[in-house]
């Protein structure tokens, strides 16, 4: 009995030591590569504003359309409940106005709040941990220069045991390491700048990398594509078919800066938000650096790769005025809905008019039989300001039933992707809840 007790105590000591070791904090301040839009000699608030936009803080901490900037309240629906983003204005009572520099740095580097409670990785500290201390404090200085908003934080709505924040220490021990960015001396400066933008500030992997059973990023499939909030975040590895390897540098830069590349894609949903609030504000040199880094990401096929037909016979057979006849078979309802609400902007041949964003040919979304992004575009529409232009597509979620959305999505996939769509009313109903 005595030996068993001693063994148990020793085991507990070993486990506690391992827990503390795996949750250790990297004390280094880090050395970030010099970004074109945030040089070290720029005024602190100018640097901070640029870095805050590059990190896309406003997208997660501002309720679209009605929320005060950075006041939080954005809902993140997860398989085990809902988390709401926090108020990160300088309000002393409901925001972070009383946070010290060290507390703010600890939150971004280690995922720990000022009160010692652990943050959930819906806040991407798993990526922000790579930020240099100087960049983190520049972001804090900028946030503290903005108007204070008194808006209480909404508590997370999670089931047991996910509502136990202390348990995140075990998650961190298994899946997280506190570590700063380290430049690769064998790579060009621009490449290192791009890596810092993609992996630390822009946290691209948080959306574009699939999750494992523990809801941590599966680094074996880094940037190979995932599903987020009902949208497919596409494969952005260098794979020429499944990823962006066949895109030219100009196409990639144009898409990142404007959310559109002719015959490649038009951004919507979370990616549209990233373009509107973050990527379009990057300097051209920093966008080029980001492209340089993405070019080097090892090719990975990911799951459910989409075979894109840039010139589907059915779409080419259609004129701007009338659809190709053979697309109507089995798609009568979808064709009627497209004629009533979509053809005037997208045109029957998918080339679009009024705005290049209305072009449909060559897009992965319309070539994906699953139709996740086509469905979400129909349900939610698009409404964003990019490069001085208002990009708008009305949402039809309230106007159409689940069966009508499914019929329209499958018609679009057949007409412009030459694929047989598999969108069902049940799938649309599930998409509405994302």
């Amino acid at each position: 009995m005595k030996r068993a007790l001693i063994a148990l105590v020793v085991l507990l000591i070993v486990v506690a030591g391992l827990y503390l070791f795996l949750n250790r904090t990297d004390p280094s301040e880090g050395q970030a590569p010099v970004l074109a839009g945030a040089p070290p000699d720029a005024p602190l608030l100018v640097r901070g504003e640029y870095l805050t936009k590059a990190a896309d803080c406003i997208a997660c901490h501002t309720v679209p359309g009605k929320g005060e900037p950075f006041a939080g309240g954005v809902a993140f629906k997860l398989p085990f409940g809902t988390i709401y983003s926090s108020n990160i204005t300088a309000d002393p009572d409901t925001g972070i106005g009383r946070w010290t520099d060290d507390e703010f740095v600890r939150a971004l580097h280690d995922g720990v709040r000022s009160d010692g409670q652990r943050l959930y990785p819906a806040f991407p500290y798993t990526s922000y941990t790579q930020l240099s201390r100087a960049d983190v404090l520049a972001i804090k200085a900028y946030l503290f220069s903005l108007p204070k908003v008194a808006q209480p934080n909404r508590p997370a709505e999670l089931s047991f045991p996910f509502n136990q924040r202390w348990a995140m220490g075990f998650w961190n021990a298994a899946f997280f390491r506190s570590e700063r960015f380290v430049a690769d001396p064998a790579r060009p400066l621009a490449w290192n700048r791009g890596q810092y933008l993609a992996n630390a500030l822009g946290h691209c992997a948080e959306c574009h990398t699939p999750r494992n059973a523990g809801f941590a990023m599966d680094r074996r499939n880094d940037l190979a594509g995932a599903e987020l909030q009902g949208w497919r975040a596409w494969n952005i590895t260098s794979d020429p078919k499944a990823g962006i390897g066949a895109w030219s540098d100009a196409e990639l830069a144009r898409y990142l800066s404007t959310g559109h590349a002719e015959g490649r894609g038009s951004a919507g949903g979370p990616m549209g938000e990233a373009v509107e609030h973050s990527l379009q504000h990057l300097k051209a040199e920093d966008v080029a650096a980001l492209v340089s880094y993405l070019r080097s990401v090892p090719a990975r096929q990911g799951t459910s790769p989409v075979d894109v037909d840039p010139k589907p016979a059915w779409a080419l057979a259609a004129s701007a005025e009338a659809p190709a006849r053979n697309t109507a078979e089995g798609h009568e309802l979808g064709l009627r809905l497209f004629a009533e609400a979509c053809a005037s902007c997208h045109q029957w041949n998918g080339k679009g008019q009024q705005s290049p964003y209305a072009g449909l040919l060559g897009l992965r979304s319309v070539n994906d039989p699953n139709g996740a992004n086509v469905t979400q575009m129909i349900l939610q529409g698009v409404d964003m300001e990019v490069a001085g232009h208002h990009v708008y597509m009305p949402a039809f979620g309230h106007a159409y039933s689940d069966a009508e959305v499914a019929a329209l999505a499958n018609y679009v996939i057949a007409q412009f992707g030459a694929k047989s769509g598999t969108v069902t009313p049940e799938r649309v109903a599930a998409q509405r809840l994302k």
Side-chain angles (χ1 to χ4, degrees), residues 196-426:
Y196 188 73
L197 281 164
N199 293 338
L201 278 166
H203 54 281
C204 303
E206 301 284 348
C207 292
H208 290 274
T209 297
R211 302 276 171 168
N212 60 25
F215 208 67
M217 288 181 284
D218 178 7
R219 289 301 188 179
R220 296 170 302 175
N221 288 295
D222 199 32
L223 303 181
E227 186 167 317
L228 178 76
Q229 299 172 31
W231 295 80
R232 281 195 72 174
W234 298 113
N235 184 328
I236 55 172
T237 72
S238 58
D239 188 281
K241 185 175 181 181
I244 55 175
W247 293 38
S248 69
D249 287 357
E251 288 172 335
L252 277 171
R254 193 177 307 118
Y255 184 82
L256 293 170
S257 300
T258 69
H260 175 76
E262 188 70 26
R264 295 295 189 183
S266 290
M271 188 63 197
E273 292 177 350
V275 172
E276 180 179 23
H277 300 304
S278 177
L279 294 168
Q280 71 163 322
H281 300 290
L282 296 180
K283 295 287 187 182
E285 303 94 314
D286 290 333
V287 173
L290 187 53
V291 170
S292 173
Y293 171 72
L294 291 175
R295 285 285 188 221
S296 72
V297 175
R300 298 181 178 93
Q301 193 172 50
T303 58
S304 303
V306 174
D307 184 15
V308 176
D309 184 350
K311 297 179 180 179
W314 293 353
L316 293 179
S319 68
E321 296 77 24
R325 292 181 181 177
N326 58 356
T327 58
E329 185 176 353
H331 296 286
E332 290 80 9
L333 175 57
L335 183 146
R336 177 173 64 78
L337 294 170
F338 189 87
E340 292 173 354
C342 312
S344 60
C345 288
H346 296 288
Q347 300 193 92
W348 291 107
N349 59 11
K351 293 183 178 179
Q353 63 177 351
Q354 301 170 343
S355 169
Y357 291 81
L360 296 174
L361 298 183
L363 310 190
R364 283 184 184 171
S365 57
V366 303
N367 281 269
D368 179 13
N370 180 267
N373 288 10
V374 170
T375 299
Q376 290 289 45
M377 285 289 236
I378 295 170
L379 291 173
Q380 299 184 20
V382 178
D383 189 359
M384 60 184 186
E385 296 288 337
V386 179
H389 301 288
H390 186 198
V391 181
Y392 178 75
M393 171 184 157
F396 293 94
H398 295 296
Y400 292 161
S401 68
D402 295 341
E404 288 173 324
V405 172
L408 178 54
N410 286 328
Y411 173 77
V412 169
I413 293 167
Q415 171 77 356
F416 304 109
K419 308 289 194 309
S420 295
T422 59
V423 183
T424 63
E426 293 75 19

Side-chain angles (χ1 to χ4, degrees), residues 1-10:
M1 183 68 178
K2 185 176 180 180
R3 288 183 178 179
L5 183 60
I6 293 174
L8 179 60
V9 170
V10 171

